[in-house]
Amino acid sequence: MTMIDKKIREYLLPERILWETGGVKEAESLLRYNSDQAFFGGALGCVLEPGAAVLLDFGKELSGGVRIVCNECSGRKNARIRITFGESAMEALQPIGCKNATNDHAVRDEELTVPWVGELEYGNTGFRFVRIENKSTYSFTFRQVFAVYVHCNAERIGEFRCSDERLDRIWEVGAHTVFLNMQDYVYDGVKRDRVVWIGDMHPETSAILRLFGADERVERSLEFVRDNTPPSQWMNAIPSYSMWWMRIVYDYWLYTGKESFIRRQIPYVRELSERFAACVDANGDMAITDRFIDWPSSGDAAAQTEGVRALLKIALECAVRLLETFGTSTDTTRIAACEKAADSLCRAKAKPCSNKQAAALSVLAELSEAEKTNESLFSVEPLKGLSSFLGYYVLQARSRAGDTKGALDLVRGFWGKMVELGATTFWEDFNIDWAEGAKPIDTVLASDEYDVHGDNGGYCYSGYRHSLCHGWAAGPVPFLSECVLGIRVLEAGCKRVEITPDLGDLQWAEGAFPTPYGPLWVRHERVGNAIRTDFRAPKEVECIVRTKGIAPQREREKEILTISV
């Protein structure tokens, strides 16, 4: 079997020398292009004497490794160097074991042999910073160090811009986060969780569908987990993860209309739907003991129960829609069982829950009232008690409650604070309290200074093991597209799309959304007390615009048509 790598490799120069120690000469030469080819004689480049080291900053999070062009070693002997990658400057300066620094999943700290003339390419991890140390007893010279930026070939179609530059920046950071994790499959995080965790993928795939549309990596990931999980088992050994799989499959059909792909999933959908329905009794109680929605909520039994209850109802409803569309007459009994189970979940009395993530899922499953939950829970200390994963659903729930302004403030305050701390991708987890007294992640700290990366985190993400590029944290991308631009798909394959803008406190917002027929572009702008909406759409896409005030305009081939509301 032969496999061909479709990914793109870019070679980037470092932007800054952040730190150096020992005998280092001409480090600044690495910031300008000299040559990508080794050569005898001529300009030598940066020299590291024995024990010397240098820390390079490539300016943004990347996936890949480094390419070192070696010019000459003292005595024409191969040298030993140590390469340490870091998502923060301090991570790149720490050895394995310090504040939970690890080589888990993607190796970030290794000693290697480099040729005395030639080049070395090494690494397959997530990083922004690279420390290079000379471990030999003689000087080592390299002419150039490139970051090897490895990424997929997907063309970004989705866009968002608005009257708030902070939100624009957050959108771009979210888009970059997802893009880095679109490798051969859709990963959790390029530094650590290069695993298909299907239960973590929904915010990520929601962003992908609004940035790129149909994507082979989403399809490969869905089928990979399906093929490696018998229907008698739960995906990734967690019940709620199989529920998320059902939701992602349904969303993928809705956005892309790819019937051939969905039909391949139907045999599994049938078996999974039966298992879901069998988990619910007539009183709405669930025969699921392993209840899990995310790490920050794992210590709250009520949150786990209500979160899984909501996810199960959503999964049952998705199964019904898929079987009604792609099933046969033999699926009538399955559909009825799923509908009965979903109805039983609605009748069950929800237990009191103060967890915002679980409450948001309950609102979206229509098990709780959006307005009441927003007033009693979401709007109380709004930046507290959030996770970067399920925070996406809090944004959706607040918008559903008519509080899009509150949701926008949440994006600015929670995700925006990560950007203030130097984030170029969003983090596996974040607590707003971590920001108190913190310096940006591109800062080299003194030994007694607070380190926002190394001194925080818990569970699987404590210390430097904490991923600073996790696809599940990109929730602002689909939120801004769906709830601010107001683009919602009504019929599979984007044949009918609703445009219902909610600008919150913005003066204007515009953007693009991928459909199977080409991009849909919209712009909303305040005009007095009204909102003017203009849009361009492929002729195959029927747009239903619901906006108050000025009648929307449809632009096509320079012709402007007035659409009645």
Side-chain angles (χ1 to χ4, degrees), residues 287-322:
I288 298 174
T289 56
D290 185 5
R291 301 174 184 180
F292 178 83
I293 54 173
D294 73 345
W295 279 115
S297 308
S298 61
D300 186 336
Q304 297 298 310
T305 295
E306 295 314 308
V308 171
R309 185 192 308 277
L311 288 173
L312 181 55
K313 180 173 182 287
I314 290 169
L316 287 163
E317 292 169 343
C318 290
V320 167
R321 296 185 190 111
L322 290 168

Side-chain angles (χ1 to χ4, degrees), residues 369-554:
E369 295 183 32
E371 292 82 0
K372 287 184 178 179
T373 308
N374 186 55
E375 181 180 355
S376 64
L377 184 58
F378 300 145
S379 60
V380 178
E381 294 188 295
L383 298 180
K384 302 268 190 175
L386 296 173
S387 78
S388 53
F389 168 27
L390 295 182
Y392 167 46
Y393 307 101
V394 176
L395 297 176
Q396 285 186 307
R398 295 198 71 169
S399 184
R400 182 170 291 193
D403 189 14
T404 296
K405 180 186 180 303
L408 288 173
D409 285 341
L410 198 60
V411 174
R412 295 177 180 116
F414 188 77
W415 281 268
K417 183 58 69 173
M418 283 185 259
V419 175
E420 285 183 24
L421 290 172
T424 59
T425 49
F426 288 128
W427 303 352
E428 180 178 11
D429 193 27
F430 184 62
N431 185 318
I432 197 66
D433 293 338
W434 296 353
E436 183 69 29
K439 292 183 178 179
I441 59 173
D442 60 352
T443 306
V444 175
L445 303 169
S447 60
D448 59 347
E449 286 189 286
Y450 167 56
D451 179 357
V452 70
H453 189 189
D455 293 339
N456 289 304
Y459 306 102
C460 65
Y461 54 88
S462 65
Y464 294 126
R465 195 176 188 274
H466 186 197
S467 164
L468 301 190
C469 176
H470 238 58
W472 72 19
V477 170
F479 163 73
L480 292 168
S481 177
E482 177 187 357
C483 297
V484 176
L485 296 182
I487 302 172
R488 296 178 176 87
V489 180
L490 300 179
E491 185 175 338
C494 300
K495 293 177 181 176
R496 291 174 64 239
V497 174
E498 176 186 270
I499 303 174
T500 307
D502 189 345
L503 292 180
D505 58 356
L506 299 174
Q507 292 303 305
W508 62 269
E510 66 179 13
F513 169 77
T515 80
Y517 310 102
L520 162 65
W521 174 86
V522 299
R523 179 180 171 87
H524 311 298
E525 187 169 4
R526 293 189 187 277
V527 181
N529 294 324
I531 301 293
R532 174 190 172 94
T533 292
D534 300 304
F535 67 97
R536 292 191 300 269
K539 64 180 186 303
E540 298 88 350
V541 179
E542 177 189 355
C543 293
I544 300 171
V545 185
R546 308 184 193 280
T547 184
K548 298 178 181 179
I550 299 172
Q553 304 292 311
R554 180 178 185 131

Side-chain angles (χ1 to χ4, degrees), residues 342-376:
D343 184 60
S344 296
L345 290 172
C346 290
R347 292 200 307 270
K349 185 177 180 181
K351 296 180 181 179
C353 176
S354 59
N355 180 276
K356 291 178 179 177
Q357 280 64 238
L361 293 173
S362 184
V363 166
L364 299 176
E366 298 183 339
L367 295 174
S368 301
E369 295 183 32
E371 292 82 0
K372 287 184 178 179
T373 308
N374 186 55
E375 181 180 355
S376 64

